[in-house]
Amino acid sequence: MKRTSLTTAVIAGIVGVAGISSLANAVYLNGDGLGQALVYPYYTVNSSNGSANGTALTIVNTTNQGKAVKVRFLEGYNSREVLDFNLYMSPYDVWTAQIVPNGNGAGVFSTDNSCTVPALPTSSPGFAFSTFGFDGTTLAKDGGPTDASRTKEGYVEMIEMGTVTNASANKTLTAITHVNGVPKDCAQLITAFTPNSSNAYWVPASAGGTGNLSTDIAAASGGLFGSGTIVNVHAGTVEGYNAEAIDRYWDAGGVLKQFNHTDPSSLAPSLSGGSSVTSYVFAQSAANVSGAALITTSYAQARDAVSSLFMADTIYNEYFTGGGTALSSEWVVTFPTKRFYVDPPISGSATVIAPFDVLFTKAVGNNGLPGSSCSPIGVGYYDREERTPGAQLGTICPSPLTCGPVAVKTTLCYEANVVTFNQAGPKSSVLGSNLVTPITTGYDSGWANIDLVDSADNRSQHSLAGANVFLGLPATGFFVTQFLNSNVSNGVLANYTSLYKHKVHRAVQVAS
């Protein structure tokens, strides 16, 4: 298949001009939206505005190849896994699913025909998210809540495990390919994973099968994109976002020859398990303060290569609140690789690993929160007329550096954080989040920044070390605002919502 991409063209040009042959082997965050691994920064089924939210997900296969994809749901406290399964997509396929309330927690269902192993329910309340990852069943308890309510918010990752072929007599690609909108034989894939079944060709002989996981699976090729949509049906609100796309995740030696097809319950592959250990990022450096430079960094572990893609020293966005209306703003700030640094059963380390500050724990001293890993940050803010608490009201500031803003010291304590603006309650009003960092600005609207380096605070100097040192923390997310107008007559619903991706600044100490 022939594909064109502005990002790919730019990279190819840099490689050709600079002669950096290793560049083609590096993992990168694809601004064009296509990749081999997708990160969906947030899901929620928490209640707000008197009714429950839900989150719809999509993933699109833009290629003429079948795809084997790991779908993983992670709760928001500490990224403990709450559900994993395998998705098998037909060429040019779209798969959709809905995350909905399920008892005291969350669940997922899909009315889509694409093959999943196991098969998912087709209606609400769906397949319940599990507490096994944090209640002591499969991993040691981490100090956070142990009941199903912990599964009600978090984020999602989908990772291509390889392309699906007809290389064997099993002809798996034929089985998953849609004919008149329906795959030929999804049951074949379930049988392939079932020990001692009639054709368990994805189970080794030692475990009661006839083959191995590489049967009919070839190299990952990318070309995936996706979206998430947070919906509150009764309130009449909807907010949509694009998934972050990581490309060249499986590169090795410049050739797309790696795959890692696993059984549906496996925690692999994850964002720490790709074969690319080199990253490239466009970022500001000390040698190029007036613009961005292409920075290539090699690491010992893929975990750090992926984290470097998301490293930011500052996050920027807007806020709209108050003004005599039910207007609210919240920021989602998700750390998609944090668990590989702060959770010992996952990181393999008894101590915290930089760039994060403390292990996830219930211990007193971690801000006294039940199950948290708190990183100190600074928050600065302005109103729309560039006023800030650091300046006199009405002062005209030549630049933000002249008048402030005064940084508010606070913390981000979870994997998926919700920063609220000018809200009173412990629970956020738009997303219904319990993982809240509250900010009070004194202004109805304006813009703010979150300083993820916070170098003035002796508790924290966040950096990801390598040949080049990235400052800050690996973060992604968005700003969501909601306007509920209850003054419209005749019972007409007049609610409005919008969502905007964060703007970030990256800073790197580049090796000479």
Side-chain angles (χ1 to χ4, degrees), residues 66-97:
K67 297 285 185 179
V69 179
K70 178 69 69 177
V71 180
R72 177 171 296 115
F73 300 85
L74 301 136
E75 53 80 30
Y77 279 84
N78 191 28
S79 291
R80 291 286 177 97
E81 174 261 352
V82 296
L83 181 65
D84 274 30
F85 57 84
N86 288 2
L87 164 66
Y88 297 90
M89 304 183 74
S90 183
Y92 308 116
D93 190 16
V94 179
W95 180 73
T96 65

Side-chain angles (χ1 to χ4, degrees), residues 148-221:
S149 65
R150 181 167 167 175
T151 71
K152 296 178 76 172
E153 60 184 310
Y155 64 101
V156 183
E157 58 188 33
M158 301 191 194
I159 302 173
E160 181 182 358
M161 297 182 287
T163 55
V164 182
T165 72
N166 277 335
S168 78
N170 299 290
K171 295 192 178 299
T172 307
L173 178 59
T174 298
I176 69 171
T177 298
H178 291 65
V179 178
N180 295 323
V182 180
K184 182 179 180 180
D185 191 1
C186 287
Q188 175 182 314
L189 281 71
I190 295 174
T191 300
F193 276 113
T194 305
N196 303 313
S197 66
S198 58
N199 190 22
Y201 62 86
W202 278 336
V203 180
S206 60
T210 60
N212 58 68
L213 286 163
S214 65
T215 301
D216 285 351
I217 302 294
S221 62

Side-chain angles (χ1 to χ4, degrees), residues 423-447:
Q423 294 184 19
K427 187 174 182 178
S428 77
S429 63
V430 176
L431 300 171
S433 176
N434 294 300
L435 309 179
V436 170
T437 295
I439 300 296
T440 300
T441 67
Y443 306 119
D444 287 338
S445 58
W447 70 274

Side-chain angles (χ1 to χ4, degrees), residues 234-432:
H234 294 289
T237 59
V238 59
E239 303 97 17
Y241 60 81
N242 292 322
E244 298 278 14
I246 302 169
D247 214 357
R248 301 281 188 178
Y249 180 75
W250 288 117
D251 265 15
V255 180
L256 289 171
K257 62 184 181 183
Q258 296 291 317
F259 58 85
N260 192 355
H261 185 219
T262 62
D263 70 79
S265 62
S266 175
L267 296 182
S270 70
L271 292 184
S272 71
S275 59
S276 290
V277 293
T278 298
S279 71
Y280 57 80
V281 178
F282 284 96
Q284 189 178 69
S285 69
N288 188 15
V289 296
S290 61
L294 180 63
I295 297 169
T296 305
T297 314
S298 294
Y299 298 92
Q301 299 188 49
R303 166 196 72 191
D304 297 328
V306 172
S307 292
S308 70
L309 307 181
F310 294 95
M311 289 294 289
D313 70 330
T314 311
I315 295 173
Y316 305 93
N317 226 316
E318 299 176 73
Y319 64 91
F320 316 138
T321 64
T325 66
L327 181 60
S328 300
S329 292
E330 297 171 8
W331 292 12
V332 168
V333 181
T334 295
F335 301 124
T337 59
K338 185 176 180 180
R339 65 191 186 275
F340 306 123
Y341 301 89
V342 304
D343 192 1
I346 296 174
S347 70
S349 172
T351 58
V352 69
I353 303 170
F356 289 95
D357 302 88
V358 293
L359 293 176
F360 189 91
T361 178
K362 194 176 181 178
V364 175
N366 198 27
N367 281 15
L369 295 172
S372 59
S373 170
C374 296
S375 293
I377 60 167
V379 180
Y381 48 84
Y382 296 89
D383 73 355
R384 288 181 173 175
E385 313 305 331
E386 65 190 64
R387 291 175 296 189
T388 175
Q392 295 292 325
L393 293 181
T395 299
I396 299 176
C397 299
S399 74
L401 296 177
T402 305
C403 296
V406 172
V408 175
K409 300 296 182 182
T410 185
T411 55
L412 294 176
C413 293
Y414 307 105
E415 309 280 303
N417 304 270
V418 175
V419 179
T420 62
F421 289 84
N422 303 329
Q423 294 184 19
K427 187 174 182 178
S428 77
S429 63
V430 176
L431 300 171

Side-chain angles (χ1 to χ4, degrees), residues 6-15 18 20 23 26-32 279-286 288 290-297 299 305 308-313 468 470-471 504-510:
L6 177 60
T7 297
T8 302
V10 170
I11 291 163
I14 292 170
V15 172
I20 309 173
L23 189 61
V27 63
Y28 68 100
L29 199 59
N30 191 342
D32 294 337
S279 71
Y280 57 80
V281 178
F282 284 96
Q284 189 178 69
S285 69
N288 188 15
S290 61
L294 180 63
I295 297 169
T296 305
T297 314
Y299 298 92
S308 70
L309 307 181
F310 294 95
M311 289 294 289
D313 70 330
N468 306 304
F470 287 77
L471 302 181
V504 303
H505 181 269
R506 308 181 194 275
V508 189
Q509 296 171 349
V510 179

